[in-house]
Amino acid sequence: MEEHQLTDWLPTTKKEVELRGWDRLDVILFSGDAYVDHPSFGAAVIGRTLEAMGLRVAIVPQPNWRDDLRDFKKLGRPRLFFGISAGCMDSMVNKYTANKRLRSEDAYTPDGRHDMRPEYPSIVYANILRKLYPDTPIVLGGIEASLRRLTHYDYWENRVRPSILTESEADLLIYGMGEKPIADLCGHLIGTVGKDGEAHAGHLPHDVLQTAYLVGKEETEALPPNPNGEGDLTLFSHEECLKDKRKQAQNFRHIEEESNRYAAARILQHTGNRMVVVNPPYPPMTQEELDRSFDLPYTRLPHPKYKGKRIPAYDMIKFSVNIHRGCFGGCAFCTISAHQGKFIVSRSKESILKEVKTITGMPDFKGYLSDLGGPSANMYRMGGKDGTLCRKCRRPSCVHPKICPNLNTDHRPLLDIYHAVDALPGIKKSFIGSGVRYDLLLHKSKDAATDRSTAEYTRELIVRHVSGRLKVAPEHTSDKVLYLMRKPSFELFYEFKRIFDKLNRELNLRQQLIPYFISSHPGCTEEDMAELAVITKRLDFHLEQVQDFTPTPMTVATEAWYTGIHPYTLEPVFSAKTQKEKLAQRMFFFWYKPEERRAIINELRRIGRSDLIPKLYGK
């Protein structure tokens, strides 16, 4: 791999801007993450997308918001707009555990330091820029803004907050994956202000899909029509949601359904004396559009300013390849479909192989790919057999409550990718690190060839692509809780484990199945957790990969947790809320630890399940 020059990265300082011979920038991006020039890091993707349009772009990673604000002033005013992203993860999930304790490290910061970004960077950065540059447009993007585009419950402040647009005073919000909206926005601005003019907030268009903006009461009558012709859907206002949890729950169902529709309604919500307008999302990207994004000239490396420092998130994905976007699982606690949508967009084989070849040329690559996957390991090139049915569908999940008969579950295209990658010189082994949907592997379709491909895929995955441990996510053992999670019955996990164990025995492989579980999910009681302990003991699991449910904005589970009502059925749902209740559920994961034994026995007696004590601890 050739040596890189400093100018191979997007500039981050005045000196780097001058090195390129630029006297003025078109767009300046502020990011809560360190700048890693890699297609898994949002700021790099947006920066490279704009650069490909011929624009002059700089990134200010992790600006210091506590001092004289020199990081916000050093590059001056951009010609078009400031772009802000809190980072690849929600800043609050990144900073705090489910118990609201500070995490030991921030994965997107050099050396894992956790003091390099504020809480809610989208709001903090935007407020600073608004004071310094009152006339310059501010555009929010990234996961934090995306999931807070409308009224939402905030777990860390334990309150219902309005759209992040109102608290940040930003002019426009881009939700979801941003390449298409940002390109359309820039195309419009250049057309409006010309090659040398400066953009002001009034120049921002209101008809770009996948964007949200605020209008005053007087402007609500004069809105342009919904860009896709599907009409408008007016939610209960922010103030109504503050007064009535049921209305907040009802709103959420509409938000989720519209964010997963092929052609969605435009969403309107009154907040105080203004209205939030959320334009519908784009139809899914084409393969060519996705390839174009991944084929941009990334160095795939952290910026040289971090030399000698470790960026934990980069270490994890350095030798991994993302082969598709989107997820049709629709899990109740997950934000992937709220951000990326349920429609799978897959990269071409050529684009994937090109990226793998680049990785094989990296100086420290030893021949092992850590992951060849995506939001889910095995959804590559899957979708509806009859696209016209998908265009009408409102279901948030294609696999719950049962796998949709219109879903093509053929694993042959994915096997073809595995074979092509493994045949490349320099590749010793490609591992699958993304979570595997075993319900897709056990599904019996009406097509014999598809079923053969699934059996072949299952075997190949277990025999050739497991680096000692295969991660799967049953999430719970109780079918009642699993139904609320929109996950398959635990019976399917037993079935998958039988196949896994059989192949391991036959081929003398010493591999482990590592299941992930969640405690305190809405609908889950202590009794459910006690039974989970007994079942996992019987299966001989000493659980490590466990988490306490964390309510994050824009998931059906969070709305059920906060409102106490399921947004779809409007029936009451129990949730463990207090720290005491949450810890009482969590301890059952660790029945095998001597220090938990006494508390677990006492708790089992208290809840009237003494019958489980001998099952966990013998007579």
Side-chain angles (χ1 to χ4, degrees):
M1 206 177 208
E2 77 285 356
E3 276 297 300
H4 285 291
Q5 310 296 316
L6 186 55
T7 48
D8 291 337
W9 282 264
L10 296 167
T12 65
T13 62
K14 190 120 179 81
K15 183 181 154 223
E16 290 168 46
V17 172
E18 286 161 2
L19 271 178
R20 290 183 167 230
W22 297 347
D23 56 353
R24 184 81 201 265
L25 289 158
D26 295 312
V27 177
I28 300 172
L29 302 173
F30 283 82
S31 169
D33 292 342
Y35 171 32
V36 180
D37 192 40
H38 186 285
S40 292
F41 291 76
V45 175
I46 297 303
R48 292 293 184 188
T49 300
L50 297 178
E51 177 192 50
M53 293 177 71
L55 295 172
R56 296 174 173 191
V57 192
I59 294 181
V60 182
Q62 301 191 309
N64 188 341
W65 75 101
R66 299 187 183 99
D67 62 1
D68 59 5
L69 308 180
R70 69 187 69 178
D71 283 349
F72 292 89
K73 299 173 193 165
K74 66 185 181 185
L75 298 178
R77 179 199 195 287
R79 197 168 70 79
L80 300 180
F81 60 85
F82 288 112
I84 296 174
S85 165
C88 290
M89 249 176 108
D90 187 276
S91 68
M92 301 306 278
V93 177
N94 194 22
K95 214 174 178 74
Y96 297 103
T97 66
N99 265 332
K100 302 187 185 178
R101 289 212 180 96
L102 204 58
R103 289 192 192 276
S104 53
E105 73 170 21
D106 177 335
Y108 291 89
T109 297
D111 292 337
R113 283 178 59 168
H114 50 62
D115 58 349
M116 296 295 283
R117 75 175 96 211
E119 295 179 359
Y120 313 103
S122 310
I123 297 172
V124 174
Y125 297 169
N127 290 164
I128 291 169
L129 289 169
R130 179 56 76 227
K131 280 201 183 75
L132 294 174
Y133 305 97
D135 303 330
T136 308
I138 295 172
V139 179
L140 297 186
I143 195 107
E144 178 166 276
S146 188
L147 303 182
R148 291 176 158 79
R149 55 192 185 253
L150 290 153
T151 294
H152 57 280
Y153 170 69
D154 185 291
Y155 171 67
W156 298 274
E157 294 211 333
N158 189 26
R159 69 184 176 101
V160 171
R161 295 177 74 148
S163 163
I164 197 167
L165 279 164
T166 64
E167 296 187 283
S168 64
E169 290 298 326
D171 299 294
L172 195 72
L173 181 154
I174 288 176
Y175 66 93
M177 306 307 268
E179 298 102 322
K180 288 182 78 167
I182 204 98
D184 277 3
L185 170 65
C186 288
H188 172 94
L189 288 176
I190 294 163
T192 308
V193 303
K195 283 265 182 279
D196 303 308
E198 276 190 359
H200 295 282
H203 292 130
L204 292 177
H206 282 171
D207 59 354
V208 175
L209 293 172
Q210 228 163 287
T211 61
Y213 57 92
L214 283 171
V215 292
K217 268 257 165 71
E218 65 291 346
E219 297 165 84
T220 55
E221 301 306 314
L223 283 178
N226 177 357
N228 70 4
E230 289 289 315
D232 292 339
L233 184 108
T234 304
L235 300 177
F236 290 113
S237 71
H238 175 66
E239 289 68 27
E240 286 176 290
C241 292
L242 289 177
K243 288 198 198 94
D244 185 346
K245 288 182 175 180
R246 193 180 177 87
K247 287 182 174 168
Q248 172 66 12
Q250 284 172 284
N251 269 2
F252 180 77
R253 176 177 183 167
H254 294 305
I255 295 167
E256 184 179 51
E257 285 182 340
E258 295 307 318
S259 64
N260 281 305
R261 271 178 72 195
Y262 199 92
R266 178 170 60 182
I267 293 178
L268 312 175
Q269 186 184 31
H270 287 282
T271 300
N273 59 358
R274 293 188 289 180
M275 184 167 75
V276 182
V277 181
V278 180
N279 282 335
Y282 284 86
M285 284 173 108
T286 63
Q287 187 177 77
E288 293 70 33
E289 286 168 334
L290 188 58
D291 283 355
R292 204 174 307 136
S293 180
F294 276 92
D295 295 346
L296 293 166
Y298 303 100
T299 60
R300 298 187 66 85
L301 299 165
H303 188 280
K305 66 160 81 190
Y306 309 122
K307 196 170 166 40
K309 291 190 164 80
R310 179 184 68 91
I311 298 173
Y314 172 66
D315 290 345
M316 276 180 67
I317 57 89
K318 190 176 182 177
F319 302 132
S320 73
V321 177
N322 195 337
I323 62 175
H324 78 265
R325 275 191 193 163
C327 178
F328 51 68
C331 299
F333 47 82
C334 178
T335 57
I336 290 170
S337 67
H339 189 68
Q340 293 192 15
K342 72 174 180 185
F343 295 102
I344 303 298
V345 185
S346 301
R347 293 169 67 186
S348 68
K349 187 169 158 183
E350 295 69 37
S351 174
I352 293 165
L353 294 180
K354 183 177 164 189
E355 186 175 356
V356 175
K357 284 174 192 160
T358 306
I359 293 174
T360 60
M362 290 173 79
D364 46 352
F365 182 65
K366 305 281 193 292
Y368 299 96
L369 283 180
S370 58
D371 189 23
L372 204 51
S376 171
N378 55 319
M379 290 185 184
Y380 180 75
R381 299 241 322 246
M382 289 185 186
K385 290 178 271 204
D386 177 353
T388 56
L389 294 177
C390 296
R391 279 177 163 77
K392 294 182 210 148
C393 178
R394 285 174 184 267
R395 271 174 63 170
S397 169
C398 306
V399 290
H400 178 87
K402 334 193 255 296
I403 291 178
C404 173
N406 188 41
L407 182 67
N408 154 32
T409 56
D410 189 352
H411 282 72
R412 277 172 293 190
L414 187 50
L415 279 166
D416 182 40
I417 295 291
Y418 290 2
H419 297 156
V421 167
D422 288 349
L424 288 175
I427 296 291
K428 292 176 186 166
K429 221 170 173 52
S430 58
F431 296 120
I432 306 307
S434 305
V436 175
R437 289 293 305 217
Y438 52 81
D439 49 348
L440 291 175
L441 300 182
L442 301 167
H443 175 60
K444 295 286 173 272
S445 76
K446 291 198 167 84
D447 178 56
T450 295
D451 291 349
R452 277 197 302 277
S453 81
T454 305
E456 188 191 336
Y457 176 84
T458 308
R459 184 182 175 88
E460 169 138 347
L461 170 76
I462 294 167
V463 174
R464 300 191 50 163
H465 298 281
V466 176
S467 65
R469 313 172 85 183
L470 179 64
K471 294 189 290 207
V472 291
E475 307 295 9
H476 213 286
T477 54
S478 152
D479 281 354
K480 169 194 68 147
V481 179
L482 286 166
Y483 190 83
L484 284 169
M485 289 178 160
R486 297 189 183 143
K487 294 290 282 188
S489 161
F490 198 66
E491 283 306 315
L492 291 188
F493 177 76
Y494 284 126
E495 202 178 321
F496 182 71
K497 187 178 183 303
R498 278 195 291 274
I499 297 168
F500 183 86
D501 292 345
K502 181 170 177 279
L503 280 170
N504 273 279
R505 267 195 316 276
E506 285 171 9
L507 300 165
N508 200 20
L509 300 167
R510 287 202 153 112
Q511 298 179 153
Q512 280 179 294
L513 203 53
I514 305 293
Y516 281 58
F517 289 98
I518 296 178
S519 56
S520 302
H521 189 278
C524 177
T525 62
E526 270 179 67
E527 193 168 347
D528 295 318
M529 291 304 296
E531 287 175 351
L532 180 146
V534 170
I535 290 167
T536 53
K537 180 190 178 181
R538 206 163 54 225
L539 290 167
D540 201 22
F541 284 128
H542 283 199
L543 301 180
E544 309 158 39
Q545 297 293 342
V546 299
Q547 67 180 89
D548 193 9
F549 170 68
T550 306
T552 53
M554 253 180 105
T555 69
V556 69
T558 296
E559 297 300 331
W561 191 89
Y562 160 67
T563 62
I565 301 162
H566 195 283
Y568 282 74
T569 62
L570 301 180
E571 298 287 319
V573 178
F574 165 79
S575 294
K577 291 265 180 101
T578 65
Q579 191 138 341
K580 190 177 171 209
E581 286 173 326
K582 285 163 90 68
L583 290 171
Q585 289 207 15
R586 188 182 163 80
M587 73 179 173
F588 282 104
F589 285 139
F590 307 110
W591 58 268
Y592 56 87
K593 291 187 175 178
E595 64 270 25
E596 298 288 2
R597 184 172 174 154
R598 177 164 295 280
I600 286 175
I601 289 173
N602 289 342
E603 199 56 27
L604 286 171
R605 287 187 179 130
R606 192 188 71 77
I607 64 172
R609 290 306 305 268
S610 301
D611 58 307
L612 298 180
I613 298 171
K615 292 181 179 171
L616 280 180
Y617 299 114
K619 292 280 182 287

